[in-house]
Amino acid sequence: MSIQFKTVRRAEPGVAGGGQFKYYAAIERDRQVQMRQFIKAIWARSTVNMADVYAVIETFLQLIPEYLLDGRPIELGPLGKFSIGISSTGHELPEEVNVYSIRNIRILFTPGNELKDQISLAKFVKVDNDKLVLPADVEPNQAA
């Protein structure tokens, strides 16, 4: 298995007219796995039926916001941890901070060590005009 990447041209941030353009590697995201396909893959590797897999994932998706909206992080062992993060306006005095100081709320996911270790083994293959360019001769941790 390999992660496909492509070459993208990007402008220099914050420079009028784009400044000096450079080329970067970017993940090819057109091969998304849909929930039904994911459920079928779990079902094929387990002893439970597809309806049970679907029910567990659906319940998982319902419980995550319930716990997060209660301000409780969700620790899922080797998978990682879900939690809530906020951004707020700064104030001069502590008593000025209130609920209206909060500008943004987001869901944070921190992968567990086991998941990070598995992902660190990634292999990459370049895609150019929807065609694979083989081989990708430099590993990601090597100097280019």
Side-chain angles (χ1 to χ4, degrees):
M1 290 189 284
S2 297
I3 299 172
Q4 293 182 4
F5 71 95
K6 61 186 175 184
T7 303
V8 295
R9 183 175 182 235
R10 293 194 180 134
E12 196 172 348
V15 176
Q20 182 178 354
F21 287 85
K22 292 187 179 181
Y23 294 90
Y24 299 88
I27 297 295
E28 178 63 59
R29 300 196 188 276
D30 292 342
R31 302 178 322 136
Q32 182 171 311
V33 176
Q34 298 297 321
M35 187 166 146
R36 186 166 177 81
Q37 181 182 2
F38 190 69
I39 288 170
K40 281 183 177 180
I42 293 171
W43 168 65
R45 294 179 182 203
S46 68
T47 59
V48 296
N49 66 45
M50 201 157 67
D52 290 339
V53 175
Y54 184 82
V56 168
I57 289 178
E58 194 59 43
T59 303
F60 178 81
L61 294 173
Q62 291 171 11
L63 285 174
I64 287 176
E66 281 184 34
Y67 285 119
L68 293 178
L69 289 171
D70 196 28
R72 299 173 67 188
I74 304 163
E75 174 62 51
L76 297 172
L79 178 62
K81 179 173 143 181
F82 287 94
S83 59
I84 290 291
I86 60 172
S87 303
S88 71
T89 305
H91 297 281
E92 296 292 324
L93 302 171
E95 54 272 4
E96 294 175 325
V97 177
N98 59 40
V99 70
Y100 300 108
S101 302
I102 298 171
R103 294 183 316 199
N104 189 26
I105 183 171
R106 63 195 175 283
I107 298 173
L108 305 175
F109 174 72
T110 306
N113 289 334
E114 188 175 321
L115 182 58
K116 282 194 256 183
D117 290 346
Q118 290 173 359
I119 295 301
S120 71
L121 302 173
K123 304 284 185 205
F124 294 87
V125 62
K126 187 174 181 180
V127 178
D128 194 12
N129 294 326
D130 296 328
K131 294 180 184 165
L132 296 179
V133 179
L134 297 173
D137 52 358
V138 179
E139 292 296 319
N141 295 333
Q142 296 176 341

